Amino acid sequence: MILEPLPADRELPPALLAELTALYASNREFHRLSGDFPDPDGIRPEQVATALAGDLAVPGAEVLLARTEDGRLVGLACTLAHHPDPADPDPWIGLLMVDAAEHGKGHGRTVAGLVEDRFRAQGHRSAVRLAVLENNPKALAFWTSVGYEVIGHRPDRALGRPCAVLRKVLGDPQRTPRKAARTAVVAPDGAVLLLRYDNVEVGVHWALPGGGLEPGESPREAALRELAEETGWTDLEPGPLLCTWEHDFTHSGTRVRQHEHVYVTRGPRRDPAGPRLAAAHAADGILTWRWWTRRELAEQAGPVWPPGLAGLLHAWEG
């Protein structure tokens, strides 16, 4: 994948404008939610040109075209090096759009990673922010899956639409990749089991039972093994995939960027138990455990892995 900046100082060539119009028109569902175009089913080239010109008129803004190695336009990202609010120190991703015909192929995740790398290359070392419309749960699920955390809620500056604001620490691009898997065990009353971990880099946090994949292990196999090791329960099987997400932390003295598969299953409400439990918890830095109601999860101010767990469980049950 290649990111190609859109020039801000000249008119769009007709062929490129046609490509961009097709990209915008393919995302009718999003435009119905956003209200950015009067008729999402009839987006015209001149409307796209006006929208892009408005984006590029903001100081520090870039429109980045995402092309495959053979030159196909599959997406774009609009970025902002400095937010108009002087109290906001982070760069922003204003929009990330992938051709609807290409959804589900990992392009969105790739483009997001390339945008983050571009911010790092420009000297940004703290974090990046973005806003997601409150009426767009699919977008919220995507951004939390790639490591962004909700830090607040407020209307957007342009149209006053309710939004969730998300932030991701840019971190060190040289971290070691690590794959892991976790399982959300949901009791009959809707509560979910969380373990309280202590990590040298991220501190104390709550997370679902789980851990890293062993050589030759699939994510589902790892989720089952880790669940048995950390709870003593051997009578449960991971159900469907709830989400994937990635985050940075330190594992056994190594700074890693961990990509997790999170599964969900139903089970009885009980305490972890077993003769090897104490040793396993000591090795993994597990301090205690607790069953959380959905409301407690939604109101928890401290870090919970994965972020937005209450909303993900609501969506799964729905």
Side-chain angles (χ1 to χ4, degrees), residues 69-81:
E69 297 295 335
D70 60 2
R72 289 187 302 113
L73 180 68
V74 294
L76 65 76
C78 300
T79 66
L80 192 61

Side-chain angles (χ1 to χ4, degrees), residues 272-285:
R276 300 183 180 88
L277 208 61
H281 284 194
D284 291 342

Side-chain angles (χ1 to χ4, degrees), residues 60-75:
E62 278 192 316
V63 175
L64 304 170
L65 308 184
R67 294 188 180 277
T68 58
E69 297 295 335
D70 60 2
R72 289 187 302 113
L73 180 68
V74 294

Side-chain angles (χ1 to χ4, degrees), residues 139-268:
L140 183 62
F142 166 76
W143 287 111
T144 55
S145 77
V146 294
Y148 287 76
E149 298 186 30
V150 176
I151 61 169
H153 300 267
R154 70 188 189 203
D156 73 337
R157 295 173 64 93
L159 299 174
R161 299 167 295 189
C163 293
V165 179
L166 293 88
R167 183 175 187 265
K168 179 180 180 179
V169 176
L170 286 175
D172 181 359
Q174 302 303 319
R175 285 178 180 268
T176 300
R178 184 174 189 254
K179 295 182 178 180
R182 299 186 183 276
T183 305
V185 179
V186 180
D189 62 359
V192 62
L193 179 77
L194 293 179
L195 306 177
R196 194 179 190 202
Y197 293 82
D198 189 9
N199 181 262
V200 65
E201 179 178 349
V202 300
V204 175
H205 59 281
W206 292 91
L208 299 169
L213 273 62
E214 294 183 351
E217 208 173 32
S218 71
R220 187 175 293 276
E221 290 169 339
L224 180 62
R225 174 184 53 75
E226 288 285 342
L227 181 64
E229 290 177 0
E230 295 186 347
T231 66
W233 305 335
T234 59
D235 57 345
L236 299 179
E237 288 283 343
L241 185 69
L242 183 67
C243 71
T244 61
W245 79 294
E246 58 188 33
H247 59 100
D248 294 346
F249 80 117
T250 297
H251 174 72
S252 300
T254 301
R255 291 162 59 85
V256 302
R257 175 165 294 165
Q258 181 154 294
H259 181 78
E260 296 187 353
H261 283 66
V262 182
Y263 299 92
V264 61
T265 192
R266 296 193 183 276

Side-chain angles (χ1 to χ4, degrees), residues 30 76-79 92-98 107-116 119 128-133 136-150 164-169 243-247 306-308 312:
F30 169 72
L76 65 76
C78 300
T79 66
W92 277 66
I93 298 174
L95 175 68
L96 191 153
M97 183 183 301
V98 172
H107 294 320
R109 184 181 295 273
T110 300
V111 173
L114 290 173
V115 169
E116 292 163 8
F119 280 138
V128 59
R129 301 191 192 200
L130 54 89
V132 172
L133 295 171
N136 194 353
K138 289 184 179 178
L140 183 62
F142 166 76
W143 287 111
T144 55
S145 77
V146 294
Y148 287 76
E149 298 186 30
V150 176
V165 179
L166 293 88
R167 183 175 187 265
K168 179 180 180 179
V169 176
C243 71
T244 61
W245 79 294
E246 58 188 33
H247 59 100
L312 292 169

